[in-house]
Amino acid sequence: MTEARGPVGSGGTAHTRYTSGTPCWVSLMAHGLTATQDFYSALFGWEFRPGPHQLGPYARALLHGEEVAGIGQLPPDRHLPVAWTPYLASDDVDSTAESVRLCGGTIGVGPLDAGDAGRLAIGSDPAGAVFGLWQAARHLGTGVTGVPGTPAWNELRTFEAAGVVKFYETVFGHERDTGADADHITLKLDGRPVAGIRGMGNTLPRERGSHWLTSFQVADADDALRRVRDLGGRVLTPVQDDPRGRVATVADPEGAVFSVIGLRG
C-alpha cells in the first residue's frame, strides 16, 4: 500500500510513497478559509502552510511537521457543496482519468498540474460520488498516519454497493472482500484494506446522494464530539462501537461531514 520511512510522533507512521489506487490525500474546499482553518486547528491541532498557488487560496494542514490534509477556498460565485474529498494515488493521472470516463464515470476538473507538487484530476463514479486523482511529484500525499489528527479511513456511501464496486475494481485494480453483509464491501490492494463501500439503500441521504466519507483518528471520540459542538460544529450520529474503534459522524460549521474514530475505552 505504501512505503514507510519510520515512526513519527507517538506510534504514527510516515509514508514516502502510495501505491496506485490507495487513498493518499484528503482535501476540503470551503467558503471561509480562515474560519475553517481555525476550526480544524482547534479540533485536530493542525498548523497550516500556504500553497500550491495554482489551486487558488489553498493551504496544507501540518501535524508534527508532516502534511496531512488540504483546505482551499471556493470562489464566491461557486455555490458547490462543502465536502471532504479523498484523492486516490495514480502513476499516470491522464491515463486513469481516461479509464474513469470509459468506465462510466466523469472528470470535472483536469487533469492539470499543481506546480511542482504533482498532477491532479477530480471526477466522480457512475453513481455520482466525487473523488480526486493524485500523481505525486514533490508532494507525495498524507505524510503521516496512525496518530490523532490524521486521516484514518475512507468509505464510499452509495445506494447499492454491488452496483459500483466493479468501477473501482476496473479503474484502480481494487479487490473486493464481501463479508456477511453483501452491502458492505472492503476494497483491498495486495490483500490489504484501503477503503470501504457501504450500500445504504433508501437510508442514503437524498440531499447528499452517493459520497465518500473521510474518518479522522482522535484520541477520545466523546471528547472530540464535545469540542466539535464547542467550536460550532454539529454531531450527526452519536458515538458507537465499530470494528475500527469508537466512531461518530459530525459536521463542521460550514456543513462538511466527516467521522471521528477514537480508541475503545
Side-chain angles (χ1 to χ4, degrees):
M1 181 172 64
T2 62
E3 289 183 357
R5 55 180 172 81
V8 167
S10 302
T13 299
H15 301 282
T16 60
R17 184 178 65 84
Y18 284 86
T19 301
S20 183
T22 304
C24 64
W25 185 247
V26 290
S27 188
L28 172 67
M29 297 300 288
H31 295 290
L33 184 57
T34 300
T36 300
Q37 289 179 353
D38 289 344
F39 172 85
Y40 288 99
S41 177
L43 181 61
F44 293 139
W46 291 350
E47 299 176 342
F48 291 92
R49 175 187 299 160
H53 67 85
Q54 289 84 357
L55 301 181
Y58 189 87
R60 294 176 185 156
L62 281 73
L63 187 71
H64 308 309
E66 299 283 350
E67 296 176 346
V68 294
I71 297 178
Q73 184 168 335
L74 288 166
D77 59 342
R78 299 289 298 277
H79 300 288
L80 299 173
V82 177
W84 281 100
T85 300
Y87 282 70
L88 306 182
S90 171
D91 295 330
D92 184 336
V93 159
D94 295 79
S95 176
T96 304
E98 183 61 22
S99 295
V100 168
R101 295 187 186 98
L102 291 173
C103 291
T106 61
I107 295 295
V109 176
L112 55 86
D113 289 327
D116 59 1
R119 189 163 173 80
L120 67 85
I122 299 175
S124 59
D125 67 26
V130 176
F131 60 86
L133 304 172
W134 182 253
Q135 180 180 336
R138 290 191 63 182
H139 175 61
L140 301 173
T142 301
V144 60
T145 58
V147 294
T150 61
W153 187 246
N154 289 281
E155 183 174 85
L156 172 62
R157 302 289 178 91
T158 191
F159 181 78
E160 182 185 20
V164 74
V165 65
K166 187 64 177 176
F167 170 84
Y168 290 93
E169 290 176 320
T170 304
V171 175
F172 298 105
H174 292 145
E175 310 145 9
R176 76 174 79 180
D177 184 357
T178 305
D181 184 354
D183 261 335
H184 190 195
I185 296 172
T186 300
L187 299 177
K188 294 184 173 182
L189 287 170
D190 300 324
R192 300 183 64 179
V194 295
I197 300 178
R198 185 181 297 274
M200 300 181 68
N202 292 327
T203 64
L204 183 70
R206 289 187 178 182
E207 69 276 8
R208 298 200 66 199
S210 295
H211 61 278
W212 279 93
L213 178 69
T214 296
S215 299
F216 294 92
Q217 187 170 333
V218 294
D220 184 303
D222 297 282
D223 179 65
L225 295 200
R226 287 190 289 270
R227 282 184 285 142
V228 165
R229 291 191 188 97
D230 291 343
L231 293 167
R234 293 179 293 129
V235 175
L236 304 181
T237 64
V239 175
Q240 52 192 309
D241 288 327
D242 181 273
R244 292 166 291 148
R246 289 175 53 74
V247 180
T249 304
V250 300
D252 70 18
E254 285 202 12
V257 178
F258 60 98
S259 287
V260 294
I261 302 177
L263 299 176
R264 290 187 179 87

